[in-house]
Amino acid sequence: MWWYAGPTKNHWYKALIDGSHLVLLKRADQISTRLSTVPFKAQGKVAYSLRLRSVGANLFGAPPGLPIHPNPIPWMINTVDPALRSGQVGVRVLLQNDTIVNVTSFQATTASTAM
């Protein structure tokens, strides 16, 4: 997830697993937009990794559950959105009842333009 929060606006991109899909969302000018949704059936009591990469206007979502590599192949999400070209990175977790989330690693690096 990354965002830009100005004095009156809260803009962000967010990747999430909703139980049956990998989803990429955007919020800008108080409007939420689903940029991409791909099928992904999550299983109970299984830990998944989730990776979001942005290079300029190009946004990528990594395959959950696969080992982390510099450039996972294939990216499950590959879309373009020029709305939010700068900002900060971070992790935000919203929990449902009986849900456990363990953040075991978070890393932000400057991406190269090479895909």
Side-chain angles (χ1 to χ4, degrees), residues 3-14:
W3 73 93
Y4 167 76
T8 61
K9 296 182 179 174
N10 187 10
H11 299 246
W12 46 254
Y13 289 113
K14 175 171 57 174

Side-chain angles (χ1 to χ4, degrees), residues 73-95:
I73 303 296
W75 291 94
M76 291 178 76
I77 290 176
N78 183 347
T79 192
V80 175
D81 183 74
L84 309 177
R85 298 186 69 101
S86 66
Q88 301 172 345
V89 297
V91 174
R92 180 180 180 203
V93 177
L94 298 175
L95 295 177

Side-chain angles (χ1 to χ4, degrees), residues 36-87:
S36 185
T37 302
V38 294
F40 179 78
K41 181 65 176 157
Q43 299 175 15
K45 299 183 182 183
V46 174
Y48 293 100
S49 61
L50 181 61
R51 184 168 180 190
L52 178 63
R53 180 178 184 183
S54 65
V55 180
N58 298 292
L59 301 165
F60 306 92
L66 295 181
I68 296 295
H69 296 287
N71 295 302
I73 303 296
W75 291 94
M76 291 178 76
I77 290 176
N78 183 347
T79 192
V80 175
D81 183 74
L84 309 177
R85 298 186 69 101
S86 66

Side-chain angles (χ1 to χ4, degrees), residues 1-24:
M1 175 177 135
W2 68 286
W3 73 93
Y4 167 76
T8 61
K9 296 182 179 174
N10 187 10
H11 299 246
W12 46 254
Y13 289 113
K14 175 171 57 174
L16 62 95
I17 300 169
D18 68 5
S20 56
H21 300 93
L22 173 62
V23 181
L24 179 63

